[in-house]
Amino acid sequence: MDCKRSQVLNPVRLQALETWVKQTNIQLKQVNGQRRYGGPPEGWDGPMPGARCEVFISQIPRDAYEDLLIPLFSSVGPLWEFRLMMNFSGQNRGFAYAKYGSAAVASEAIRVLNGYMLEPGCCLSVRRSTEKRQLCIGGLPVVTQQEKLVQVLQGLVEGVERVSLKAGPGIEGVSAIVVFVSHHAASMAKKVLVEAFKKHFAMSISIRWQSSGKPSLDEFMPTQKSYLASPTKPPRMLARPQHSSPPSQFLLTQSIRPGFCRTVGGPAAQLQIPLPPGFFSLPPPSIIDRLSLYP
């Protein structure tokens, strides 16, 4: 039996899902090609899951839905979140993500449910999720400042944890590696940032996943301190090295050299940094709050 089946919806399965949702009063929210439960679910009293708490589920029959999958994966342990990838047709895309409260429970889910026969001829594949959290943004101006870029990103998307800038041979302008608090936050940002930069700053950027095979940001320059912005006190600026020519007014941090500069992140502080002509700036926070990324 083919687990993918045809693109024709199964009315029996759809009715079973609807009945289950009504009986359990469970909340499912569909957005950007996925249907989400939890994150966390109502009544969750544990901490937010850390690394290695999520599993990737594939080989799901296209007409199998949360009424079958959530109870199955909840049998191993409480779910913090369950995300089923969906097509516009109403069928699932054959894969999903389940996140637990600890890495140990996720390991148990892999042990118990990998190879589980959901129905005759359809065995689930369950393995550890890579949970990519890093995006590479290219095409930024050479005058880009780390602290200002953090403000820009935090005004456009949620979950920005820290940023590091990269410049050098073969790189046009400046690239930024942005680390998010979760894979979900990074994925949502990847969907909107290109259009957001075009709309608000008339700037064309490129964006892609940062390869997990490369060292993390913390491994590039271990001797330099990270900048952590504080919402209650102004950030500390690094002194600019002395040069034969006076420093530019807008560049208050160390100039970018080939390789990675120090990382920045944390809550956005209200920095008053003048910018050069042609570079972008954010409107005041009261205006940012009213901005919509799409008309």
Side-chain angles (χ1 to χ4, degrees):
M1 184 181 297
D2 183 5
C3 290
K4 294 184 179 180
R5 294 198 176 94
S6 68
Q7 294 299 311
V8 178
L9 293 177
N10 185 331
V12 176
R13 289 285 177 86
L14 290 174
Q15 183 60 49
L17 172 65
E18 183 178 347
T19 301
W20 176 76
V21 169
K22 290 180 179 179
Q23 289 177 346
T24 60
N25 198 30
I26 201 164
Q27 299 295 317
L28 300 177
K29 181 179 180 181
Q30 185 159 343
V31 60
N32 293 322
Q34 60 182 278
R35 198 155 58 202
R36 183 182 180 193
Y37 158 75
E42 186 177 353
W44 180 271
D45 58 0
M48 180 176 178
R52 299 177 60 79
C53 292
E54 186 175 80
V55 299
F56 172 70
I57 310 148
S58 59
Q59 305 299 320
I60 301 173
R62 295 299 179 89
D63 57 359
Y65 300 109
E66 290 88 346
D67 59 310
L68 297 177
L69 297 168
I70 288 180
L72 175 63
F73 282 85
S74 295
S75 67
V76 179
L79 284 169
W80 189 85
E81 181 181 68
F82 188 92
R83 295 182 289 125
L84 181 63
M85 304 301 112
M86 300 296 296
N87 285 324
F88 289 112
S89 67
Q91 290 188 323
N92 73 63
R93 295 169 58 192
F95 65 98
Y97 296 88
K99 181 171 288 189
Y100 295 94
S102 70
V105 179
S107 297
E108 182 67 6
I110 295 172
R111 186 187 70 82
V112 173
L113 297 177
N114 184 42
Y116 180 88
M117 186 177 292
L118 191 64
E119 59 183 50
C122 292
C123 295
L124 300 178
S125 172
V126 184
R127 59 185 185 272
R128 191 83 62 177
S129 172
T130 56
E131 294 189 87
K132 294 180 180 178
R133 298 190 299 124
Q134 300 185 27
L135 295 178
C136 179
I137 301 176
L140 298 171
V142 294
V143 294
T144 302
Q145 294 178 288
Q146 298 100 319
E147 293 88 347
K148 191 63 180 180
L149 182 58
V150 170
Q151 283 191 346
V152 168
L153 293 172
Q154 290 180 331
L156 296 174
V157 295
E158 297 180 352
V160 176
E161 187 173 87
R162 61 185 186 275
V163 174
S164 183
L165 298 183
K166 182 180 181 182
I171 300 177
E172 182 178 353
V174 172
S175 294
I177 305 301
V178 185
V179 181
F180 290 82
V181 297
S182 67
H183 173 77
H184 178 72
S187 180
M188 294 299 100
K190 186 175 184 291
K191 294 177 184 292
V192 302
L193 279 178
V194 171
E195 291 302 319
F197 270 72
K198 285 182 181 179
K199 177 179 180 180
H200 297 301
F201 314 121
M203 181 181 297
S204 294
I205 63 169
S206 63
I207 187 165
R208 60 178 174 81
W209 289 109
Q210 173 69 2
S211 173
S212 58
K214 295 181 180 180
S216 65
L217 294 178
D218 298 328
E219 297 172 340
F220 277 98
M221 301 197 69
T223 60
Q224 293 190 346
K225 295 182 178 180
S226 294
Y227 169 84
L228 297 177
S230 170
T232 57
K233 62 181 180 180
R236 178 178 60 86
M237 294 293 185
L238 296 182
R240 181 180 175 86
Q242 296 297 321
H243 298 286
S244 56
S245 58
S248 301
Q249 290 183 351
F250 61 83
L251 193 56
L252 302 181
T253 57
Q254 291 178 330
S255 60
I256 302 170
R257 62 189 186 189
F260 272 82
C261 296
R262 59 195 179 86
T263 60
V264 297
Q270 300 303 315
L271 304 182
Q272 301 298 325
I273 302 177
L275 298 175
F279 194 58
F280 55 85
S281 62
L282 280 178
S286 60
I287 300 179
I288 294 175
D289 293 339
R290 297 196 298 270
L291 285 178
S292 174
L293 295 181
Y294 296 100

